[in-house]
Structures are given as C-alpha cells and as structure tokens.
Amino acid sequence: MRIALSQLTTGPDPDKNLRLIEEWARRAADAEARIVVFPEAAMACFGTPLAPLAEPLAGPWADGVRQIARATRLVVVAGMFTPAPGGRVTNTLLATGDGVEAAYDKIHLYDAFGYRESDTVAAGSGTTVIDVDGVRLGLATCYDIRFPELFRAHADAGAVATLLAASWGAGPGKLD
C-alpha cells in the first residue's frame, strides 16, 4: 500500500486550503498512492481564530474533502476543526473515501513552552482505527506521539501502523 504524506503549509482561509488539498491529492493519486495524509490544521492554520471557522463533520468543508476523495479514488486524511462546547473547537482528523468514513479528535493537547492549546481546543476521548484494503490503521494527531498508550490501544485494536497528522510550528528545539 502506498501512502502519500503531504506536509503542506495552510493559511487562514478554509476554501483556499481545500484547493491545496485537492491539488496535492491529485498528485498523490497520480503517484498511485492509496491514502494521502495531510497535516492537522489543514482546514485553517493555527493562529487563526478557529471557533468562527469550525464546522461539523457534516459541514461543507468536510464534504469538500469527501468530494476530493471520491474524485481521486483515495482515502484522504485531513485535519479540521469541529465545534466544541464553551466556544472551543475540537482538533479533528477526518478520514474519508472508498468505504472509509471516520474521525478522530485529538486527545493529548499541546500545553507546553508557554502555549496552551487547551485554552481554545477541547480534548477528544476515544481512539479511532480505520480499515483500508484489509489493513487496519490507527489515527493520531501531532502531540499524541508523546503518549505511547494511544499506540498500544491501536495495536490492541489490530492496527499495524498509525497515520499521524502533524503541523509543527516554530518553537524551542525544533530547528536543532
């Protein structure tokens, strides 16, 4: 199975970012990938007021991702923001296309080095695995990588690998 990784840089406009996703998904399809993984925050970059942009999984942005998945015949995994209580959002990873329809809400929020993701983002609470062509894969987002119990839960659920979407901004030690 060929998996394409598209670590593109998104901006604050969800519609423009959807066009970027379409462009890079077509490239992945042309390269005969089966899955293409985009970063968390593919919908809109961090630093943008996220609550006004957040949409439900049945909203137009997620539907746009579904259309791209259908057009390219790929499973597309892309980060978006869904509404959460208290004016916060959920950092959601949408996986869609060819028999796959799932979402994962980031469990482990990045509250470190003076940044508090939890001020604007609500934590998820459950794990998610998907099946693509008989291969079980877990879903995870960025800072989750520091918490091995999530990956053990994926393995316990039969996953042979985990698709981890990340958007790594500037910060201490990242350029070293």
Side-chain angles (χ1 to χ4, degrees):
M1 174 182 305
R2 182 170 288 198
I3 300 172
L5 306 176
S6 182
Q7 190 64 28
L8 53 81
T9 301
T10 59
D13 183 332
D15 291 330
K16 286 183 182 177
N17 296 333
L18 197 58
R19 288 193 295 275
L20 279 174
I21 289 170
E22 181 176 18
E23 174 187 342
W24 287 94
R26 290 191 186 285
R27 289 182 185 193
D30 290 346
E32 299 181 4
R34 180 67 179 97
I35 301 170
V36 60
V37 181
F38 291 95
E40 70 175 322
M43 177 188 215
C45 62
F46 288 112
T48 303
L50 299 173
L53 299 176
E55 295 182 6
L57 288 168
W61 196 85
D63 285 346
V65 174
R66 289 181 186 97
Q67 290 172 349
I68 292 166
R70 277 191 301 274
T72 58
R73 302 183 58 126
L74 292 170
V75 172
V76 177
V77 179
M80 64 179 291
F81 298 101
T82 55
R88 295 190 297 168
V89 299
T90 304
N91 188 340
T92 300
L93 197 56
L94 172 65
T96 187
D98 199 19
V100 173
E101 186 62 34
Y104 166 72
D105 294 333
K106 182 178 179 183
I107 296 171
H108 304 97
L109 303 180
Y110 186 75
D111 286 358
F113 296 106
Y115 184 79
R116 290 191 41 84
E117 186 177 17
S118 62
D119 287 346
T120 56
V121 178
S125 61
T127 61
T128 302
V129 295
I130 60 173
D131 292 299
V132 179
D133 301 338
V135 177
R136 183 158 280 198
L137 303 162
L139 298 179
T141 303
C142 202
Y143 195 57
D144 284 331
I145 200 164
R146 293 184 175 257
F147 300 88
E149 62 274 8
L150 175 61
F151 303 92
R152 282 194 295 268
H154 290 163
D156 289 346
V160 297
T162 296
L163 304 174
L164 187 134
S167 178
W168 290 56
K174 292 187 179 176
L175 296 177
D176 300 336

